Amino acid sequence: MRVLRERLERRRLELFGSPVTDPVAWLLGRGLPQRASCWSVLCDDGHRMDTGLGCDSCAAVIGDRREARARMRSEVMADQVGGDPAARRAELERRLNLGVRHRAVMDLMRRERAAAERSSRLEAVERRRAELAAQRVERAGRECADCGMADAGGLCLACTAVRAVDGEVRKAVDVVVAMRADLTDPRAVRELSARVEADTMALANAAAEADGDGVPAAVRSFVLLSAVRSMVAQRTRWALHRLERGSLADSAAGRARSSERRRAAGDSNTADVLEAMSRAETKARSDTARMLLDDLLAGVERARRREEGGGPSARWTAVLSDLMRRPLAEELAGESSPGGPAVPGDAGACSPSPGTPSPDTGAEPG
């Protein structure tokens, strides 16, 4: 409001007392529009709209113009030493006029170039919009990849729900396995995952049959998805509740209470201090339980990768086993020179003494 009030006051003073015959037209055309005298977006008639002071950018523009005029005056004086002052003044005005015209031409060219670039961008945007619209139409006409339904956009809603059920079942299984399995034993993780998955599907199907009895198959898939998601939320709450009662959560809660007690040492309101300590303890337990659950879930994934043989431990085991089966350089040197003299690097000179394990078999000493 301050900016508009000051702007209207300046524009009113520009009238020099002349009456305004059409107030609406004057407000829309002269009174309210911002008029920047320089490149700054905050400039309005040489004043900054944020501070109300003079515009530094306008001062810079004026300084540049004065410097250009002074430089051109010096050039004219150097070219016409001892000439007629009127002729020098006319030459200066002519050169200044040429400079102004040159800047105007350059500004016009810059505006035309900007307009062409803007038009090119708008055309590119319109082309992209048309391409996206055509892609949407093409995707909408695809049949379902699972059931073959026409105009399903590649996957119908029922099949989407079925695929989502698999992902949610995996989440529900992972929570139980993370809390109960020995994550250092990939085989135990695999066996427990199979049993929990079977039990989870049985419970989900029973819940879906109870809630969606007599409904179409397409609707039943959504009922099943809702049942599995409910199981995921329930098992997650169960896991977090158990982890919040663990020793690590107790330690974190104790540190949080101590920190809050030290922070509020000078507070005389005991009730507020106790409430703040309770909030800090609860938050510490919740954060610790969430962190522990995330670590356990990551451990389940690592155990499954080791079971599948894709983990780094399995790869390094295979590499080391291959290296153990390869003959040593001393053995190769002994085979290439049978019966020769024992020289450094010969197998005879480096034959293992009794009781030393063989590099090929890796047998323990007798």
Side-chain angles (χ1 to χ4, degrees):
M1 294 300 294
R2 177 188 61 81
V3 173
L4 292 178
R5 183 173 62 253
E6 294 176 355
R7 181 182 299 172
L8 289 175
E9 181 65 20
R10 290 194 303 269
R11 307 290 166 80
R12 186 185 64 82
L13 294 177
E14 292 177 357
L15 296 175
F16 297 104
S18 301
V20 177
T21 57
D22 191 347
V24 176
W26 181 83
L27 288 173
L28 296 179
R30 297 284 302 276
L32 295 178
Q34 177 186 356
R35 294 186 309 197
S37 302
C38 61
W39 60 80
S40 176
V41 296
L42 297 176
C43 178
D44 184 26
D45 294 333
H47 298 78
R48 289 183 61 88
M49 292 189 296
D50 54 349
T51 62
L53 302 177
C55 181
D56 296 335
S57 302
C58 290
V61 171
I62 295 174
D64 292 342
R65 293 176 180 176
R66 287 176 177 173
E67 181 182 359
R69 185 180 181 91
R71 184 175 62 253
M72 196 168 296
R73 182 185 297 109
S74 300
E75 293 175 357
V76 171
M77 293 292 292
D79 294 341
Q80 299 184 9
V81 177
D84 185 14
R88 288 200 300 266
R89 188 180 305 108
E91 179 64 17
L92 175 61
E93 294 296 334
R94 186 185 68 82
R95 294 189 183 186
L96 290 175
N97 191 2
L98 289 177
V100 170
R101 293 191 179 195
H102 177 72
R103 287 196 300 271
V105 171
M106 296 302 295
D107 292 341
L108 178 60
M109 294 175 60
R110 185 171 57 252
R111 288 194 296 270
E112 291 178 349
R113 184 167 58 252
E117 293 176 355
R118 183 168 57 253
S119 177
S120 178
R121 288 195 299 268
L122 293 177
E123 292 178 358
V125 169
E126 292 299 328
R127 287 196 302 269
R128 184 56 180 167
R129 286 178 179 174
E131 292 175 0
L132 293 177
Q135 292 176 4
R136 285 194 296 269
V137 173
E138 190 271 335
R139 283 197 302 267
R142 297 177 185 174
E143 63 181 15
C144 180
D146 293 347
C147 65
M149 178 185 293
D151 298 333
L155 194 68
C156 66
L157 293 178
C159 295
T160 301
V162 171
R163 291 190 180 185
V165 167
D166 297 338
E168 295 297 324
V169 168
R170 181 67 175 266
K171 294 179 182 178
V173 171
D174 287 352
V175 173
V176 177
V177 174
M179 297 296 296
R180 293 183 175 177
D182 181 8
L183 302 183
T184 61
D185 187 356
R187 181 178 178 182
V189 171
R190 174 173 55 82
E191 294 176 352
L192 182 59
S193 298
R195 293 197 302 270
V196 175
E197 183 176 358
D199 296 341
T200 302
M201 288 302 302
L203 292 174
N205 288 324
E209 290 177 358
D211 295 339
D213 189 15
V215 299
V219 179
R220 187 180 182 280
S221 60
F222 288 97
V223 176
L224 180 62
L225 177 60
S226 177
V228 176
R229 285 177 174 172
S230 177
M231 293 176 62
V232 172
Q234 181 180 1
R235 292 181 180 182
T236 303
R237 288 194 299 268
W238 163 76
L240 292 176
H241 179 75
R242 288 191 57 183
L243 294 174
E244 286 175 358
R245 301 300 180 269
S247 59
L248 292 178
D250 291 339
S251 300
R255 290 192 298 270
R257 287 182 64 88
S258 300
S259 177
E260 191 64 27
R261 186 186 298 111
R262 289 192 300 269
R263 191 188 65 83
D267 195 347
S268 60
N269 194 337
T270 307
D272 293 343
V273 173
L274 293 177
E275 183 180 357
M277 292 170 59
S278 177
R279 287 197 303 267
E281 180 182 1
T282 302
K283 185 177 185 304
R285 287 185 180 276
S286 177
D287 294 344
T288 304
R290 174 59 63 180
M291 179 189 65
L292 292 175
L293 182 57
D294 292 340
D295 291 342
L296 291 173
L297 293 175
V300 173
E301 290 298 325
R302 288 193 297 269
R304 286 174 178 159
R305 287 197 297 269
R306 288 197 300 269
E307 176 70 15
E308 296 171 357
S313 300
R315 290 196 297 270
W316 276 110
T317 300
V319 171
L320 294 176
S321 300
D322 180 67
L323 291 176
M324 287 292 293
R325 287 192 296 269
R326 295 181 182 180
L328 297 178
E330 293 82 353
E331 298 172 345
L332 295 177
E335 294 177 358
S336 62
S337 57
V343 295
D346 195 350
C350 300
S351 59
S353 60
T356 303
S358 171
D360 289 338
T361 61
E364 294 293 331

